[in-house]
Amino acid sequence: MTSREWKPGNIYGQDTEPDYSILSYTWGRFEIADGPRLHINGIDWPVPPIDGSHFTVADLTRLLEYAMLKYEYIWIDIACIDQKREKIKMQEVGRQASIFKGARQAYVWLNKNEPEELDRYMQDLNRCGYSFAQGTIDASQAVEQMFTSISHILQDPWFSSLWTLQESVLQRHAILLNKRGEPVTAPGPWAGESDSCQLIDISGACALARSFTDQALQGYVGANQEGSLSLQSERLQSLRTIIDESGVDFMLCPNPNIQYAAARFRKTSHSEDRIYAIMQVYGYRLGNSAASAENLQPFDLEDLELQFLQTLASQSVVLSQTFQHLKLPEAGQSWCITNYIRVPKRLHNIIIHDQFVTSACTITVRKKNKAYFKGTGCPLHEIFSFWKSRSQQTVTWLGKAADAPSDLKQRHAFFGTGSYGRSRYFKEAKQGIFMDCDDSMSFEWPPDTAVLDDSSEPLIECRIPELMHASDAQQAIEESILIKHCNKSPSVLYLGRAKHIESMDIALILVREDTVDSGLESVKTDKWRRIGVCFWNIEGGLVDNIAKLLQPLEGRFG
């Protein structure tokens, strides 16, 4: 095998912009001081030797020979980047997104499980998903059957590297290869044109199992008389933890904060790689990987984190705040995205591109504990009042729908005329709060179970008690939030509008921080602490109703 040097114009040897494959695998933690090395012609550096218990030279050679059957060229980092030449290495790190997205075919090398076992695990996952879709098994049966397969697959070291987490986003349809370098296969009625399994098959199975697990744990009485968790509940919680720590249950969700949250569970060889190995899911080139970097600078992790935060806040205020804190932020950093966050499912489709997000305020970052905002906002109780009015209107409208005929055709005509000319009414009425560090104070209204198509569901009126109960619960939470922060001017800062798949307005929930003057009295300041994020779906005249509430609001984050 020969490595051909890149030349301007994407020329390699005699070929211009050749089609190529790319390999995603993990090796950095398994490098050894000396040992057998892959021999590559055309390079002037030694390929790093790898611990044979992870993979051998013969294993890698066999895999590359297979991958190159389809395209003559393949990109593999140890043969294309001199790991000892830092400047060249960092330039390539900054090009990872374009390199991966430019590949005609990507491969993921899973080399822990035996090939036959890996095939069987993938077969089981696909069968479970297919059987559930066909209605032959229920959710509890599916999650139980998927437990063993997911647990074993995610034990592969590939799922513990931060670099491969980034690569999984850049090439979601990568073909899975086993330790012999052969495609992982799972033939069956669920397979398309090929029996070969892709990375997104694992992602989809994990997303499905995660959903099933959440449902089971919510409705499961998991305590015995001593108050300890039952074995079944512990098993479900274990599966959920395994999936969360892998970070691969993202399917096609475009919000990169999902991967940023999962990054805390992934491993890197160098602390700076906590940013370098994930920044490309946002499309960023930071530190020494920046295209404008001529000379290497001594960037440490703190420097890189600040660059990341400044870039994110300047390019997309909305994306920079669409998450939930899982642990109390340090002083002055309530605005600051960290690895200790989660992205609620309702916010999974927030995307970084300008055409899908409209920012309505600015966040200026000086330091991690010194950031300023400027935009519009209003007292939190005014948003709550608006939501309450909308909830009541929805329930009232639904009560009138009791006059609708039961015949589906007649019903469709009924809902398509006059005041009933809305389809999927509940979807439009979505609103909710995700409080930082406190899920018990978070809610969405109406609940997902009530999101149905009014015009084709004869029994939708039966949801009125459910919606009223959910509305009462929402108002109780709202009152608790206002009472808890009554002396801190609870307010919302309008961030802007997300328009990808589902249109929604998004705002921060802020409380004003107090300072003590001469130890005698509490004085209001311009410091505000973020305590959560809220959203609402609006259409037509409702935009004007919200706009009337908003007034200029600026200050510093506490």
Side-chain angles (χ1 to χ4, degrees), residues 50 66 103 124 138 150 199 223 252 271 275 287 336 347 375 382 387 395 411 415 422 433 449 467 520 527:
I50 308 300
Y66 168 79
D124 289 345
D138 60 23
I150 289 177
L199 178 61
L252 296 177
S271 61
I275 294 296
C336 185
L347 305 179
E382 293 188 359
W387 288 358
V395 174
R411 186 179 183 85
F415 279 107
R422 291 189 179 206
I433 280 179
T449 53
L467 292 173
L520 297 178
K527 272 191 176 182

Side-chain angles (χ1 to χ4, degrees), residues 185-311:
T185 58
W190 47 80
E193 296 179 358
S194 172
D195 293 337
S196 297
C197 297
Q198 299 181 354
L199 178 61
I200 200 167
D201 294 329
I202 296 179
S203 178
C206 287
L208 192 63
R210 182 67 164 81
S211 176
F212 292 160
T213 303
D214 285 347
Q215 295 173 28
L217 286 173
Q218 286 175 4
Y220 189 78
V221 180
N224 59 22
Q225 294 181 349
E226 287 74 33
S228 61
L229 292 176
S230 70
L231 291 177
Q232 178 64 10
S233 181
E234 288 180 349
R235 186 173 172 85
L236 291 171
Q237 184 61 59
S238 173
L239 179 59
R240 183 162 70 176
T241 300
I242 291 170
I243 294 172
D244 286 350
E245 293 184 358
S246 76
V248 298
D249 58 325
F250 50 78
M251 287 291 285
L252 296 177
C253 300
N255 190 333
N257 293 344
I258 299 170
Q259 285 73 51
Y260 197 78
R264 73 181 185 275
F265 301 113
R266 296 294 186 109
K267 298 177 181 178
T268 63
S269 299
H270 308 286
S271 61
E272 313 89 76
D273 291 345
R274 307 306 307 177
I275 294 296
Y276 283 137
I278 197 65
M279 64 182 182
Q280 288 276 283
V281 302
Y282 293 86
Y284 299 160
R285 297 183 65 168
L286 306 173
N288 286 320
S289 74
S292 60
E294 296 183 0
N295 300 309
L296 295 178
Q297 301 294 325
F299 293 109
D300 59 19
L301 178 58
E302 187 173 346
D303 296 328
L304 294 171
E305 284 181 336
L306 180 58
Q307 277 193 33
F308 169 74
L309 294 169
Q310 290 172 328
T311 304

